[in-house]
Amino acid sequence: MGTIKRTAISLATLIIIVVIGVFIFLSSNLGSLIVDAVESFGSKVTQSSVSLDSAEVAISGEGALNGLTVGNPVGYKSNNAFQLGMIKVAIDPESLTTDVIRIKAINIESPKLSYEPGGDAGSNLQQLVKNVQQFADGGKTGDEKAGDKEKKLIIDLLTIQDGEVLVVTPLSDTPIRTPLPNIEMKDIGKKDGGSSASDVVELVMQKVTSAASSVGNVSLDELKTKLQSQVGDKMKAVQEQSGSIDGVGDKAGEVGDKLKSIFK
């Protein structure tokens, strides 16, 4: 056997060993790599804490993310803005080596959203959207802004099902719970030949914020009326217990001011 032939066989064998080694590494470490990437990128984009319990992704491209939590922006009462149960993902594995990654489906099951009106942006969710927009506009490096090296995404179908909104106000320690309308989004990024990850996050956040703002088909005016009624009942109970109306009018005025500041 000639030297060149032996060298070629040795090189081919070495390449096969390396490929097998990479395959084994990805099979055993892909989940932890995804967790690290989601937490790192998510925190930068939302300017808030992001944690992911675990990720299970097969080489076929199908998998699930478990326990994704997005913290609230600074200045809001509740700890978290999102608590997502199970996220099922199906990726076209052949697209991973191209400039545009195609995600066949993302299904988010049983998410819990904390909707807290108030603040400069109008609510905690709107503040998160604002943070994402700031990242998309100015948080990228020069190379990323150029767009020639940045991976793009196309998502065929994204669904959010069986969600719940917890409306948080300073008037009560117990959030008001209401269902989140199911959300379905198709062909995200398809028209433009792919969208950046931050643009996709912004688009989904806007859709979710709009749905959460409707508070499960209960308008903010109706919610305000409900809260005012609850406050009125509490004031009446205080008056009956004290046997006096002294100070109740002032307290009601303070509550009214709070309501105005929340639902402005």
Side-chain angles (χ1 to χ4, degrees):
M1 183 181 296
T3 303
I4 295 177
K5 191 172 183 179
R6 285 197 300 269
T7 303
I9 292 175
S10 299
L11 182 59
T13 303
L14 178 61
I15 292 173
I16 292 173
I17 292 174
V18 170
V19 170
I20 293 174
V22 170
F23 181 86
I24 294 174
F25 174 80
L26 288 177
S27 297
S28 59
N29 295 280
L30 188 56
S32 61
L33 292 174
I34 291 175
V35 170
D36 291 342
V38 168
E39 292 182 342
S40 176
F41 180 74
S43 298
K44 290 178 182 178
V45 172
T46 62
Q47 299 177 39
S48 182
S49 63
V50 174
S51 63
L52 178 64
D53 289 344
S54 64
E56 301 172 2
V57 180
I59 299 299
S60 63
E62 295 186 359
L65 309 180
N66 302 294
L68 178 62
T69 300
V70 178
N72 251 333
V74 176
Y76 289 92
K77 182 178 179 181
S78 53
N79 293 328
N80 301 316
F82 293 90
Q83 289 180 294
L84 307 183
M86 170 85 69
I87 305 175
K88 295 180 179 178
V89 182
I91 302 174
D92 179 2
E94 294 182 359
S95 69
L96 294 176
T97 57
T98 69
D99 293 333
V100 180
I101 298 175
R102 179 182 168 225
I103 301 177
K104 298 177 182 178
I106 299 177
N107 181 30
I108 302 175
E109 300 178 357
S110 304
K112 289 186 178 181
L113 283 65
S114 293
Y115 179 76
E116 188 172 344
D120 295 336
S123 74
N124 60 328
L125 300 185
Q126 289 169 320
Q127 182 63 57
L128 283 176
V129 171
K130 184 177 179 180
N131 292 348
V132 173
Q133 290 172 337
Q134 289 176 345
F135 177 87
D137 294 338
K140 300 178 182 178
T141 65
D143 290 339
E144 288 173 328
K145 287 180 179 179
D148 53 345
K149 294 182 180 180
E150 185 180 9
K151 288 282 188 179
K152 301 292 185 178
L153 301 175
I154 291 179
I155 303 175
D156 294 343
L157 177 64
L158 185 148
T159 59
I160 301 176
Q161 300 175 317
D162 301 325
E164 183 180 40
V165 181
L166 285 69
V167 183
V168 180
T169 76
L171 301 178
S172 175
D173 294 332
T174 303
I176 297 174
R177 296 175 179 268
T178 187
L180 175 72
N182 289 343
I183 295 173
E184 181 178 290
M185 303 175 69
K186 295 181 178 180
D187 299 328
I188 299 174
K190 187 174 183 178
K191 183 179 179 181
D192 299 324
S195 297
S196 67
S198 56
D199 287 341
V200 170
V201 171
E202 179 182 346
L203 179 63
V204 175
M205 281 289 301
Q206 288 176 337
K207 186 75 172 180
V208 171
T209 298
S210 176
S213 299
S214 70
V215 195
N217 297 323
V218 177
S219 70
L220 292 181
D221 287 338
E222 291 173 340
L223 180 60
K224 178 179 177 180
T225 300
K226 183 184 294 187
L227 287 171
Q228 286 174 324
S229 176
Q230 291 178 355
V231 171
D233 292 340
K234 289 183 179 180
M235 292 300 175
K236 183 177 179 180
V238 170
Q239 179 182 347
E240 290 175 351
Q241 290 178 359
S242 64
S244 172
I245 61 172
D246 293 341
V248 173
D250 294 338
K251 189 65 175 178
E254 293 177 9
V255 171
D257 292 339
K258 282 188 177 183
L259 285 171
K260 290 178 181 178
S261 65
I262 295 171
F263 298 101
K264 59 183 179 179

